[in-house]
Amino acid sequence: MTTKKISIGTKPSARTEATPAAADKWVESRAESEAMKRLTIDIPAALHREIKMQTAQRGTKIADEVRELLVERFTPKR
């Protein structure tokens, strides 16, 4: 009978253990002064592809650009 040895690997490093703390810090840094609400809309796949390509080329996020458009359109004029 032949015995096969299996290596289990090493204990996770301190770097991987710090990831949850880094994630918490990132979430805290994104805290807004006003409570946020989620908005879900359906758009055609072709429009989504175009938005995604253009925002990727600009190095921005879809959510950030849509948020800007909504603020421009719906912020009350004083």
Side-chain angles (χ1 to χ4, degrees):
M1 177 178 210
T2 311
T3 306
K4 183 176 181 181
K5 290 190 175 187
I6 299 174
S7 151
I8 300 216
T10 60
K11 181 179 175 182
S13 68
R15 180 177 171 194
T16 57
E17 292 171 11
T19 303
D24 290 342
K25 186 175 181 180
W26 178 82
V27 169
E28 289 169 5
S29 73
R30 293 190 41 92
E32 301 287 333
S33 58
E34 185 176 344
M36 300 295 275
K37 298 295 280 185
R38 182 162 301 276
L39 173 66
T40 303
I41 61 170
D42 295 321
I43 61 172
L47 176 59
H48 183 267
R49 265 191 311 279
E50 187 62 33
I51 295 169
K52 191 168 185 116
M53 284 190 307
Q54 288 190 30
T55 56
Q57 287 173 346
R58 288 191 287 272
T60 61
K61 294 181 180 179
I62 294 174
D64 292 338
E65 292 211 16
V66 170
R67 203 174 290 116
E68 268 184 50
L69 291 169
L70 292 171
V71 167
E72 282 177 24
R73 175 71 169 89
F74 294 103
T75 299
K77 308 285 190 261
R78 294 184 183 181

